[in-house]
Amino acid sequence: MTTAPAPTTLGTPTMCLLHGDYHVMGQDCWATTLDWQFAHTDLEGPEARDAYLCEVERKMLDNLVRNR
Ligand SMILES: [Zn+2]
């Protein structure tokens, strides 16, 4: 079971792992998020969400460092 964002939340800003950003996600963004979920099916509910958010945060920091 997973509580990660479902396609029903389309049109709602979501933490995007692909871009390391908080925005309304496109198809590529969702594909990346779903890929992450499939790679981490061993994590459950809040644990999976925390791990996902950590991953997005890391990506955000990556972007900051790279854009400097
Ligand atoms: Zn995105």
Side-chain angles (χ1 to χ4, degrees), residues 35-58:
D35 276 353
W36 186 92
Q37 284 176 17
F38 285 131
H40 297 82
T41 48
D42 53 317
L43 300 175
E44 308 196 7
E47 210 180 343
R49 197 172 43 192
D50 282 355
Y52 177 77
L53 291 179
C54 275
E55 203 74 33
V56 175
E57 236 164 73
R58 200 178 312 164

Side-chain angles (χ1 to χ4, degrees), residues 1-40:
M1 286 297 283
T2 175
T3 56
T8 50
T9 58
L10 279 175
T12 307
T14 306
M15 295 298 279
C16 173
L17 180 59
L18 178 62
H19 298 110
D21 197 8
Y22 180 71
H23 61 195
V24 177
M25 307 222 310
Q27 217 160 16
D28 288 351
C29 305
W30 281 115
T32 301
T33 297
L34 290 176
D35 276 353
W36 186 92
Q37 284 176 17
F38 285 131
H40 297 82

